[in-house]
């Protein structure tokens, strides 16, 4: 800035042809004012080294033979700036139109002011830093208070939930994270509630299913007891019915035990390579006499030899349930078609019948425990409603998949896909 003002001053001196003039002259006054502002001294030297202006007037009209001035005048140097502890000395040439120095300005500027200003700015910055730090601490404290308050609310509600006074969480918070946490918690609660509902439904179904044969047996036994002289044939008939009910009860208990064992998951898997072709042939051989009684034709089609890493007992159970159902829910004279195929990753089994079919609205539920489309028919055929639940569990334990395609009155197809290599 000082250099710029020196340049402007040099121009004015040139314009005035080195005539600084009397104390009232504009240029003279200006130089004095400038020296005042800088709290320093300005010397103007002409081409003959004469000091034509000294704001201190001490050296006015004397000659300046300062080494640096001579060098600048000779064009050996374009300017000289020297810093001494609390002032700066700037020597600048006054250059004319021919680009030759024909005069020099020496300006001494006090740095005290600048230093004071720097100190003032530094102090102000320190005050601002402290102020902003305090503000930041205050803001952090308020934010912490608010979020801690929200977390406390969350905790209180979780405790109320635990004690059974609340059904779901409802924390009003301005923080998305807390809102998300509350929502996730509520989703989890909903899932737990669904699990609890299904557990209760299962328990009530089990009780109902186990009670039915017992009630029948009680009725049969009571009616025998109530009669004095029971004819032998009637006695035998009632006893046969009672044995049937006992068989049914024990089948339900067996199926339930199988399901419970499967719920224990992977630890119970006994996996080894099994020839799936041979396994299916064996299962079909077992069902054929039952099918033959109702004139149902059972056909097996194999596209290749398949060796799969499976738990033989569980897979046999799953597949025999499907094959038995295809016969059980078939019409007399109907047919069952079982096929086996594989690619490099999976083997596929298709069990197709042209039986009674499953109405579309029931298809999603048939894999549920105790679900039966036609209770009477299922009971007649000795069904417990647990067969497909067992099948699906066994297939899922092999990381497989099962799908159902069915049309009422046309027939049903179950497709099963199981990895050739067992992955735990
Ligand atoms: P169930 O012991 O009653 O056979 P499942 O779990 O094996 O029980 O099957 C559930 C219900 O699905 C059956 O009661 C029956 O209504 C229906 N279902 C299963 N397989 C077939 C099929 N191949 N054709 C028609 N309905 C079927």
């Amino acid at each position: 800035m000082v250099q710029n003002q020196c340049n402007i001053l040099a121009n004015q001196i040139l314009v005035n042809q080195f005539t600084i003039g009397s104390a009232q002259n504009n240029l003279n006054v200006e130089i004095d004012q400038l020296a005042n502002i800088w709290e320093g001294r300005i010397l103007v030297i002409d081409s003959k080294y004469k000091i034509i202006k000294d704001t201190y007037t001490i050296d006015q009209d004397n000659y300046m033979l300062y080494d640096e001035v001579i060098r600048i005048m000779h064009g050996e140097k374009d300017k000289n700036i020297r810093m001494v502890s609390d002032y700066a000395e700037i020597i600048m040439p006054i250059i004319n139109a021919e680009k030759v120095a024909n005069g020099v300005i020496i300006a001494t500027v006090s740095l005290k002011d600048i230093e004071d200003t720097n100190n003032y700015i530094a102090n102000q910055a320190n005050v601002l830093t402290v102020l902003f730090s305090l503000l930041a601490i205050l803001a952090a404290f308020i934010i912490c208070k608010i979020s801690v308050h929200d977390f406390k609310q969350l905790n209180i509600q979780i405790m109320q939930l635990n004690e059974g006074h609340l059904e779901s969480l409802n924390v009003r918070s301005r923080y998305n994270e807390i809102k998300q946490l509350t929502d996730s918690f509520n989703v989890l609660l909903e899932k737990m509630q669904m699990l609890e509902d299904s557990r209760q439904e299962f328990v009530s179904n089990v009780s109902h299913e186990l009670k039915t044969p017992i009630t029948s047996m009680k009725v049969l036994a009571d009616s025998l007891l109530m009669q004095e002289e029971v004819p032998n044939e009637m006695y035998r008939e009632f006893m046969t019915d009672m044995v049937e009910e006992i068989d049914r009860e024990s089948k339900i208990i067996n199926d339930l035990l199988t399901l419970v064992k499967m719920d224990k998951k992977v630890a119970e898997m006994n996996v080894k390579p099994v020839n799936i072709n041979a396994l299916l042939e064996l299962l079909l051989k077992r069902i054929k006499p039952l099918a033959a009684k109702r004139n149902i034709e059972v056909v097996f089609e194999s596209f290749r030899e398949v060796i799969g890493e499976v738990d033989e007992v569980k897979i046999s159970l799953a597949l025999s349930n499907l094959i038995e159902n295809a016969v059980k829910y078939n019409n007399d004279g109907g047919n069952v078609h079982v096929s086996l195929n594989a690619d490099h990753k999976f083997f596929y089994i298709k069990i197709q019948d042209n039986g009674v079919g499953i109405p579309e609205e029931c298809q999603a539920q048939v894999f549920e425990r105790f679900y039966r489309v036609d209770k009477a028919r299922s009971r007649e055929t000795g069904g417990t409603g647990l067969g497909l639940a067992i099948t699906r569990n066994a297939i899922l334990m092999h990381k497989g998949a099962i799908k159902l395609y069915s049309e009422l009155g046309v027939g049903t197809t179950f497709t099963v896909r199981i990895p050739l290599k067992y992955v735990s």
Side-chain angles (χ1 to χ4, degrees):
M1 200 184 78
V2 173
Q3 284 184 52
N4 278 346
Q5 279 170 327
C6 285
N7 275 333
I8 296 167
L9 192 63
N11 270 338
Q12 280 171 307
I13 294 167
L14 268 179
V15 170
N16 283 291
Q17 293 171 339
F18 286 85
T19 325
I20 307 288
S22 64
Q24 286 76 35
N25 186 287
N26 274 351
L27 186 55
N28 202 345
V29 173
E30 207 178 301
I31 295 172
D32 282 333
Q33 278 175 351
L34 209 54
N36 242 337
I37 293 168
W38 291 342
E39 284 182 24
R41 182 182 182 184
I42 298 175
L43 297 168
V44 181
I45 294 136
D46 70 5
S47 57
K48 298 195 175 74
Y49 299 95
K50 186 178 174 188
I51 300 170
I52 56 170
K53 170 74 186 170
D54 174 4
T55 53
Y56 281 8
T57 63
I58 309 165
D59 289 324
Q60 184 77 36
D61 297 331
N62 285 345
Y63 285 89
M64 166 61 77
L65 292 171
Y66 188 27
D67 198 29
E68 293 297 330
V69 172
I70 296 166
R71 285 173 65 189
I72 288 172
M73 204 76 99
H74 285 176
E76 286 166 25
K77 225 178 161 186
D78 61 344
K79 66 180 171 210
N80 190 57
I81 299 172
R82 197 159 62 95
M83 295 289 199
V84 189
S85 66
D86 56 352
Y87 71 90
E89 186 194 69
I90 299 162
I91 307 176
M92 292 201 53
I94 302 169
I95 293 171
N96 64 13
E98 284 85 40
K99 306 252 186 256
V100 175
N102 55 351
V104 165
I105 295 172
I106 304 176
T108 316
V109 183
S110 165
L111 294 179
K112 210 175 159 309
D113 236 25
I114 296 170
E115 204 177 298
D116 286 350
T117 313
N118 278 347
N119 286 342
Y120 175 74
I121 290 170
N123 279 342
Q124 289 289 72
N126 281 343
V127 170
L128 281 179
T129 310
V130 171
L131 205 71
F132 278 124
S133 303
L134 281 176
L135 274 177
I137 291 170
L138 194 72
F141 182 73
I142 292 170
I143 291 169
C144 278
K145 262 268 176 227
I146 294 171
S147 59
V148 165
H149 168 266
D150 291 355
F151 274 116
K152 272 189 182 159
Q153 273 298 106
L154 194 68
N155 197 25
I156 289 170
Q157 290 200 8
I158 290 174
M159 269 155 52
Q160 287 176 339
L161 206 85
N162 220 1
E163 288 159 5
H165 303 309
L166 262 187
E167 300 246 303
S168 63
L169 297 181
N170 183 18
V171 179
R172 284 179 212 285
S173 171
R174 65 205 83 200
Y175 297 109
N176 272 341
E177 287 73 14
I178 294 183
K179 278 189 215 153
Q180 279 165 6
L181 197 66
T182 311
D183 289 347
S184 307
F185 210 93
N186 282 337
V187 170
L188 195 74
L189 278 177
E190 259 171 48
K191 269 197 177 164
M192 279 166 64
Q193 190 56 50
M194 271 161 64
L195 272 179
E196 176 57 18
D197 289 349
S198 98
R199 193 187 65 85
Q200 275 181 12
E201 197 189 313
F202 179 61
V203 170
S204 98
N205 281 342
V206 170
S207 325
H208 176 78
E209 295 296 328
L210 291 178
K211 258 176 85 180
T212 318
I214 289 179
T215 316
S216 307
M217 281 189 277
K218 172 120 175 80
V219 171
L220 290 165
D222 278 349
S223 44
L224 280 182
L225 280 176
M226 271 182 337
Q227 293 182 40
E228 288 284 310
E229 297 280 316
V230 186
N232 208 17
E233 307 82 65
M234 189 180 174
Y235 188 78
R236 287 197 73 80
E237 193 193 323
F238 275 37
M239 281 313 253
T240 316
D241 286 352
M242 278 168 78
V243 169
E244 260 178 32
E245 292 302 330
I246 292 169
D247 286 346
R248 186 172 160 68
E249 181 92 27
S250 100
K251 189 166 177 359
I252 297 174
I253 293 171
N254 276 340
D255 279 1
L256 272 173
L257 285 176
T258 312
L259 253 186
V260 171
K261 268 194 219 153
M262 284 200 181
D263 277 347
K264 282 196 194 152
K265 305 257 163 70
V266 202
E268 313 272 318
M269 291 289 276
N270 176 21
V271 177
K272 56 177 197 273
V274 172
N275 183 323
I276 308 295
N277 302 65
L279 180 78
L280 278 171
E281 268 162 22
L282 183 75
L283 295 178
L284 292 176
K285 199 173 143 197
R286 278 195 207 144
I287 198 83
K288 268 182 182 156
L290 197 76
K293 271 192 202 163
R294 294 174 51 212
N295 257 338
I296 296 170
E297 192 193 12
V298 181
V299 182
F300 176 47
E301 184 186 16
S302 166
F303 291 92
R304 65 195 70 222
E305 185 86 355
V306 177
I307 308 287
E309 283 180 12
V310 293
D311 180 322
E312 193 170 1
V313 176
K314 292 190 179 74
I315 275 298
S316 300
L317 204 60
L319 297 174
S320 64
N321 278 338
L322 294 176
I323 297 166
E324 271 173 30
N325 279 353
V327 174
K328 264 178 8 185
Y329 301 103
N330 215 322
N331 304 311
D332 289 354
N335 49 56
V336 174
H337 187 261
V338 178
S339 69
L340 171 66
N341 204 350
D343 55 23
H344 62 292
K345 261 183 128 177
F346 299 99
F347 65 90
Y348 305 88
I349 297 169
K350 191 153 93 176
I351 296 140
Q352 195 170 17
D353 66 62
N354 60 348
V356 295
I358 302 169
E360 214 180 317
E361 65 274 14
C362 305
Q363 289 179 11
Q365 283 134 285
V366 289
F367 293 102
E368 282 173 21
R369 295 169 294 196
F370 295 118
Y371 185 83
R372 281 161 290 189
V373 177
D374 179 348
K375 281 205 185 256
R377 185 176 182 136
S378 165
R379 204 181 146 78
E380 236 170 66
T381 52
T384 59
L386 294 171
L388 286 183
I390 294 174
T391 299
R392 196 180 63 153
N393 269 11
I395 290 168
L396 291 183
M397 284 173 90
H398 287 84
K399 304 281 182 304
I402 179 163
K403 276 191 185 148
L404 152 70
Y405 308 89
S406 187
E407 202 178 319
L408 194 63
V410 178
T412 305
T413 304
F414 282 95
T415 58
V416 175
R417 189 195 72 192
I418 292 173
L420 286 164
K421 292 237 167 297
Y422 176 71
V423 265
S424 58

